[in-house]
Amino acid sequence: MSSPEHKPNEKQAFSIACNALKHRYGNAQLIPEQKDKPDFGFIWKNKRIGVEVVALDDSELLRAISSHEAQKLTKARKKELHAIKNLQPYTRYNQTIKPDTSFVKPALDSKLKLYETYKSNFDEVFLLLHCESFENIKFLNLLKVIANNYLLDNDCLFSKVYLVDLKNNKFIGKVFDFKNKKRLKIPKNLLSYESETRVSHFFPVAKEVFFYETYESELK
């Protein structure tokens, strides 16, 4: 049986992380045959280190975006074209996303359960988180804190956990370190950020509009 190939978002996330961490792991030797459980592997200072990649995303939003941007004629694209032909308003997506514990829990739980499987052939295993659901990068910095607290509360065994923003092609930073287990706190400048709504509308009298809204709570 042939080895599974890396998904585009896995390769993108790994590339962003490698570029950001080359000052530390620049001399590492990639293990090219490593493609699954964990997704990547490299040798650094005589240690075999595995890297498992996982998405922290709103799957419903990404499915809506993907179905409308697909090259093939999907059901969603047919609906959109029908609306355009008949000069009718059309909403591609209208999704509000909140970066809270329930947002990170499913993906993190799935990887925490499989830690021993990833660790079997490696000295250490890193977990690389990626997200493309948010337009505003401030939500990624908030997500880093939420994920950090969840991993600490659920006995994370991964040596290190990092987060990258695929939407903006940015490295957000280290989420968790097993050695110091530092608990992060939400910075004051992020306390007001509660959720983001991503919307794509088609208006027949004008043009297609993309926008997002950030809902802020009043600080008392």
Side-chain angles (χ1 to χ4, degrees):
M1 182 180 295
S2 60
S3 300
E5 293 300 317
H6 294 126
K7 299 175 182 177
N9 56 8
E10 292 174 343
K11 291 192 287 187
Q12 182 185 355
F14 188 65
S15 177
I16 294 171
C18 286
N19 288 332
L21 297 170
K22 62 183 177 182
H23 64 284
R24 179 171 177 81
Y25 302 106
N27 295 324
Q29 179 185 351
L30 189 68
I31 304 174
E33 65 272 16
Q34 186 62 43
K35 297 188 182 292
D36 192 32
K37 296 182 180 179
D39 298 303
F40 298 91
F42 61 92
I43 298 172
W44 182 69
K45 292 186 176 180
N46 296 319
K47 285 186 176 181
R48 286 174 55 86
I49 300 177
V51 182
E52 178 66 10
V53 184
V54 64
L56 295 182
D57 277 305
D58 184 299
S59 57
E60 184 178 342
L61 171 65
L62 296 191
R63 277 197 300 270
I65 294 174
S66 175
S67 65
H68 285 91
E69 294 181 350
Q71 292 184 352
K72 65 180 182 180
L73 192 61
T74 62
K75 185 177 181 180
R77 286 284 293 135
K78 288 180 180 178
K79 287 183 177 179
E80 181 182 21
L81 292 172
H82 181 268
I84 293 172
K85 180 180 179 180
N86 292 280
L87 298 178
Q88 299 172 339
Y90 182 80
T91 299
R92 281 181 163 188
Y93 50 83
N94 184 347
Q95 193 78 10
T96 298
I97 321 151
K98 187 174 183 179
D100 55 13
T101 299
S102 63
F103 185 83
V104 303
K105 176 180 169 60
L108 295 183
D109 279 354
S110 68
K111 299 304 175 182
L112 291 174
K113 292 175 182 177
L114 293 173
Y115 172 78
E116 294 299 334
T117 300
Y118 305 138
K119 181 69 167 55
S120 60
N121 293 315
F122 290 89
D123 299 299
E124 294 184 38
V125 183
F126 297 171
L127 185 60
L128 179 57
L129 315 175
H130 64 79
C131 179
E132 56 185 305
S133 295
F134 296 98
E135 292 274 3
N136 191 334
I137 200 169
K138 289 184 178 180
F139 282 101
L140 274 294
N141 290 306
L142 181 57
L143 195 63
K144 181 174 75 170
V145 179
I146 301 298
N148 163 271
N149 283 220
Y150 189 83
L151 292 168
L152 283 169
D153 292 340
N154 288 272
D155 302 319
C156 177
L157 296 176
F158 288 94
S159 299
K160 290 181 175 61
V161 181
Y162 296 100
L163 173 64
V164 300
D165 176 6
L166 293 191
K167 178 69 177 175
N168 298 293
N169 211 45
K170 298 274 188 181
F171 179 73
I172 303 302
K174 186 191 295 182
V175 174
F176 171 87
D177 192 323
F178 186 81
K179 288 184 178 179
N180 60 40
K181 296 185 179 180
K182 179 181 179 181
R183 184 174 291 272
L184 302 179
K185 295 181 179 180
I186 299 175
K188 289 184 179 180
N189 68 324
L190 295 181
L191 287 172
S192 61
Y193 288 83
E194 291 187 345
S195 64
E196 180 180 274
T197 297
R198 291 184 61 180
V199 183
S200 174
H201 285 311
F202 166 76
F203 298 99
V205 295
K207 62 179 181 179
E208 190 175 15
V209 176
F210 294 88
F211 63 91
Y212 66 92
E213 298 176 2
T214 297
Y215 291 90
E216 301 186 8
S217 62
E218 294 184 2
L219 294 178
K220 299 181 179 179

